[in-house]
Amino acid sequence: MTALDLSSPVAVVGTGTMGQGIAQVALVAGHPVRLYDAVPGRAREAAEAIGARLDRLVAKDRLDAADRDAARARLTPAGSLAELADCALVVEAVLERLDVKQQLFRELEEIVSDDCLLATNTSSLSVTAIGGALARPGRFLGLHFFNPAPLLPLVEVVSGFATDVTSATRAYETARAWGKTPVACADTPGFIVNRIARPFYAEAFAVHEAQGADPATIDAVLRESGGFRMGAFELTDLIGQDVNESVTHSVWQSFFQDVRFTPSLAQRRLVESGRLGRKSGHGWYDYADGAERPEPHTAEKEQPPARVTVEGDLGPAAELLTLIREAGIQVHEEDEDHGTRLLLPSGGQLVLADGQTSVEFRDVVYFDLALDYRKATRIALSAAQDTSPRTLAEATGLFQALGKDVSVIRDVPGMIVARTVARIIDLAHDAVAKGVATEEDIDTAMRLGVNYPLGPFEWSRRLGRGWAYDLLEELHLRDPSGRYAPSLALYRHSYATDKRESTP
């Protein structure tokens, strides 16, 4: 099955930001494009706005003037749905209400030809439910573009329960012909990105609600240690707290209030107070003119230890040993299988976040996961109230000697980056096991859709087969609500090789 021929007209219904963006993508790809909006005059205004954006592309030398002129000639505002009769694809980008979308597609079904593809750009509604109103739902699917559509490469091609394979394949190939990176997925709440990304926000909010750290510190750790482009608080301020919470609530409700997707009460209060982020001037942060951005907590300078002892294998943090030696600190290695443990001169221990807490042990400081310990510019440490001040000072000085800023947070199990990455990995394995998408498509979607530094399966391979499962199992023991219970898919993945017993 091949992509739609460039001579085939494409229609976009709904001329808001997303509708205009999708129309521009199809137009620049070479299709004749029809724009329709139920509000009189909106389609013509949208066509003029798209033309102005094409002018800007020419001014930036990203589009030839001749190509712009040809594109403008192919763009037609439609005064009625009847003018879309000869289109080969109609993409809807109207109000996120099931009844509105169903009524629109019922009307379109009476107008377009039998082989016309019908697609919704919904991000939160069931593709199956929308298509359920149609007499021929086999040609109906989801084409979920990301905003801004002309710039972001990802398109989720969503097959509803009744979508024909030929329809999904043609839509997939068409998106690819438009220069996009399509990923195929089944119709599940949140599709790929909005399903698997929930822990990135939820765990940051949970650490904050537990008084583990302030938003500025959590954001800094996610960026500077985790390698994420933005922290959860600044990102939701950019998206809009109401928009982000609405997606979270929709996914939670669609999964029958599954505790793994429970919305944040702190975010609910933010929305109720009208603090929606940048667009309202205040969210987690204050965006008023002259407002000072809060700084992350950064520990005062401490003296590094002269030497450390490592017992066993540091696992995901193994690179630290090279960095410690490069900093001129003596490393003594003992061949004992004690996991990720560094012994400090104080007698205290420095341990990679594993889902446990410092209060359970005598004189233990935990350090958080990093995407790349060499490149990381900040490391989070956590300690209990009765942890030796000397041990915490030595741990702080050690990472400072490696050129890192240090943020000391409260004794939160799994810390910040580690618990976030573990939950993302878990949801990704669960999605594959349930036929939502392939590992490759999930990794692609998370890197391109939300700019993650690694896809979940790339993280999983880097961290080791049992890492996420072990951490979540420890978290689940400390919070038996079910939020952190590892999925059966992750359990099977973890036990596939090294944890199997010889007999039941």
Side-chain angles (χ1 to χ4, degrees):
M1 182 65 65
T2 58
L4 295 176
D5 189 272
L6 290 180
S7 64
S8 303
V10 171
V12 177
V13 178
T15 59
T17 301
M18 283 305 303
Q20 290 183 33
I22 296 167
Q24 182 179 328
V25 170
L27 189 66
V28 172
H31 288 273
V33 174
R34 312 272 171 77
L35 283 174
Y36 175 77
D37 198 289
V39 178
R42 285 272 181 86
R44 187 165 299 281
E45 292 173 3
E48 291 172 355
I50 293 171
R53 283 199 290 273
L54 296 179
D55 288 341
R56 290 195 290 273
L57 291 177
V58 172
K60 295 177 181 178
D61 293 326
R62 294 169 57 189
L63 184 68
D64 291 337
D67 290 338
R68 174 204 53 198
D69 295 341
R72 278 183 161 175
R74 294 193 302 271
L75 182 59
T76 307
S80 68
L81 287 177
E83 295 178 41
L84 313 183
D86 64 337
C87 289
L89 167 65
V90 180
V91 183
E92 162 273 316
V94 302
L95 189 66
E96 284 286 273
R97 275 180 45 185
L98 179 61
D99 59 335
V100 172
K101 293 180 188 290
Q102 287 179 329
Q103 179 59 34
L104 169 64
F105 282 110
R106 276 194 292 261
E107 294 177 20
L108 284 169
E109 194 173 37
E110 297 297 320
I111 294 168
V112 300
S113 64
D114 289 347
D115 60 352
C116 174
L117 291 176
L118 298 177
T120 175
N121 185 57
T122 186
S123 61
S124 60
L125 298 177
S126 164
V127 170
T128 300
I130 299 171
L134 301 180
R136 297 184 63 247
R139 43 109 167 247
F140 182 78
L141 68 150
L143 279 178
H144 182 217
F145 289 76
F146 288 73
N147 191 30
L151 296 180
L152 295 185
L154 185 68
V155 177
E156 292 177 319
V157 181
V158 186
S159 292
F161 186 78
T163 303
D164 293 334
V165 172
T166 53
S167 298
T169 302
R170 172 153 284 187
Y172 183 99
E173 294 300 332
T174 297
R176 186 159 64 177
W178 290 357
K180 295 301 180 182
T181 302
V183 292
C185 65
D187 182 24
T188 184
F191 309 142
I192 297 175
V193 172
N194 281 329
R195 172 178 177 153
I196 295 174
R198 293 349 293 162
F200 180 74
Y201 313 109
E203 294 312 307
F205 298 161
V207 172
H208 174 56
E209 289 177 359
Q211 301 295 297
D214 60 280
T217 299
I218 296 170
D219 277 352
V221 172
L222 286 168
R223 288 193 315 269
E224 299 174 42
S225 183
F228 293 95
R229 184 168 296 184
M230 298 180 74
F233 297 91
E234 57 190 343
L235 180 55
T236 52
D237 267 359
L238 178 64
I239 294 169
Q241 298 302 330
D242 52 339
V243 174
N244 182 262
E245 193 215 24
S246 176
V247 173
T248 299
H249 194 270
S250 174
V251 171
W252 175 62
Q253 289 282 23
S254 297
F255 276 115
F256 307 104
Q257 299 185 357
D258 187 329
V259 68
R260 296 176 302 166
F261 301 101
T262 301
S264 161
L265 180 59
Q267 188 179 38
R268 175 91 291 261
R269 293 292 179 257
L270 207 65
V271 173
E272 289 174 338
S273 70
R275 294 187 170 186
L276 306 182
R278 290 180 180 270
K279 63 185 178 183
S280 70
H282 205 303
W284 295 109
Y285 301 110
D286 186 353
Y287 298 95
D289 291 342
E292 292 187 11
R293 181 70 174 262
E295 293 293 326
H297 168 77
T298 302
E300 296 293 330
K301 188 70 175 176
E302 300 285 357
Q303 286 295 318
R307 60 175 295 178
V308 296
T309 299
V310 58
E311 291 186 342
D313 178 12
L314 285 183
E319 188 179 18
L320 280 177
L321 297 183
T322 301
L323 300 180
I324 292 170
R325 289 189 177 97
E326 290 175 358
I329 298 171
Q330 186 179 5
V331 176
H332 175 68
E333 296 188 59
E334 293 187 1
D335 188 18
E336 296 187 33
D337 187 17
H338 289 292
T340 57
R341 184 164 83 165
L342 285 167
L343 301 181
L344 299 168
S346 65
Q349 303 173 48
L350 187 57
V351 181
L352 176 62
D354 58 6
Q356 301 182 86
T357 56
S358 294
V359 73
E360 302 169 51
F361 306 99
R362 186 182 64 81
D363 218 14
V364 167
V365 173
Y366 278 101
F367 65 96
D368 208 350
L369 180 68
L371 171 68
D372 184 326
Y373 282 99
R374 181 174 293 277
K375 294 180 180 178
T377 58
R378 183 178 298 272
I379 294 293
L381 303 179
S382 67
Q385 288 185 336
D386 60 354
T387 299
S388 162
R390 180 185 170 192
T391 295
L392 182 56
E394 287 179 347
T396 300
L398 174 64
F399 281 103
Q400 289 172 337
L402 307 186
K404 319 299 183 188
D405 286 330
V406 173
S407 292
V408 179
I409 69 172
R410 292 186 67 182
D411 191 17
V412 178
M415 301 193 70
I416 298 170
V417 179
R419 69 196 283 172
T420 299
V421 170
R423 288 209 58 218
I424 288 170
I425 289 172
D426 182 49
L427 290 187
H429 278 279
D430 184 54
V432 169
K434 292 176 178 174
V436 173
T438 65
E439 291 186 9
E440 181 181 3
D441 277 354
I442 287 175
D443 275 353
T444 297
M446 302 313 290
R447 281 189 283 100
L448 298 183
V450 277
N451 291 310
Y452 283 5
L454 294 175
F457 294 97
E458 292 171 319
W459 270 111
S460 185
R461 288 188 290 272
R462 175 181 288 201
L463 295 170
R465 182 176 287 275
W467 180 86
Y469 176 83
D470 290 343
L471 188 141
L472 290 175
E473 192 175 43
E474 294 291 350
L475 276 168
H476 179 54
L477 288 173
R478 288 152 185 81
D479 179 358
S481 65
R483 177 189 181 103
Y484 299 103
S487 66
L488 178 58
L490 188 65
Y491 177 86
R492 286 172 170 159
H493 174 76
S494 176
Y495 275 82
T497 56
D498 54 340
K499 294 188 178 183
R500 284 186 287 189
E501 301 289 344
S502 59
T503 58

